[in-house]
Amino acid sequence: MKDNNELGKRGEEIAVAHLEGKGYRILERNWRWGKQEIDIIARDGNFLVIVEVKTRSSNVFAEPEASVTKQKQRILVHAANAFVNYRRQRGEVRFDIVSILIRQEKEEINHIMDAFYVTFR
């Protein structure tokens, strides 16, 4: 069994290949703003896409994407806002999740576009 860091890195490599295969242009990987991190930032047409990658070796308890909680969503929104302002990005922002399940060297990819929407209170 691979350790979590190695599994996560492999998952991100798989996600990048998947996104590039769909025509996405990768702008950043593991972009940090303070303690916050965005796994992948990409362009899909006019959309700036913030991608959270979740990789697991088992889905016994839940699918990998289930771990993107409301709190994690708020962190991603905050970091995305920082990226947009810092890099002076234009266009709509979309939040995707790439969920990867790796079992016995087989990879299952679930790309969830518009995985969540930003709501302001």
Side-chain angles (χ1 to χ4, degrees):
M1 173 70 108
K2 298 178 182 197
D3 71 7
N4 286 341
N5 286 335
E6 190 176 332
L7 186 67
K9 286 178 185 178
R10 181 168 173 211
E12 286 185 16
E13 293 294 329
I14 293 166
V16 165
H18 169 78
L19 294 169
E20 288 177 334
K22 290 183 155 277
Y24 287 56
R25 186 168 50 94
I26 306 302
L27 303 177
E28 296 281 345
R29 293 178 64 177
N30 305 114
W31 189 81
R32 297 187 77 70
W33 185 259
K35 293 182 180 180
Q36 301 165 355
E37 180 181 18
I38 300 173
D39 293 332
I40 300 170
I41 302 172
R43 277 270 174 211
D44 179 25
N46 290 330
F47 284 97
L48 179 69
V49 185
I50 307 302
V51 182
E52 178 68 9
V53 180
K54 290 297 179 187
T55 308
R56 299 288 185 268
S57 59
S58 171
N59 63 346
V60 171
F61 297 108
E63 296 300 324
E65 63 269 19
S67 65
V68 183
T69 63
K70 292 288 183 189
Q71 181 175 343
K72 179 60 178 178
Q73 292 173 19
R74 282 192 293 275
I75 290 168
L76 287 170
V77 168
H78 187 263
N81 188 49
F83 181 83
V84 166
N85 290 325
Y86 181 71
R87 293 286 177 88
R88 297 187 174 123
Q89 295 292 303
R90 294 181 184 239
E92 290 187 65
V93 177
R94 188 177 81 212
F95 295 88
D96 291 6
I97 298 172
V98 176
S99 168
I100 301 168
L101 192 56
I102 302 174
R103 292 186 284 200
Q104 299 173 355
E105 300 306 314
K106 289 186 179 181
E107 303 160 358
E108 295 175 32
I109 301 170
N110 183 17
H111 180 183
I112 305 164
M113 295 172 65
D114 283 321
F116 61 91
Y117 299 93
V118 178
T119 55
F120 297 98
R121 293 184 187 191

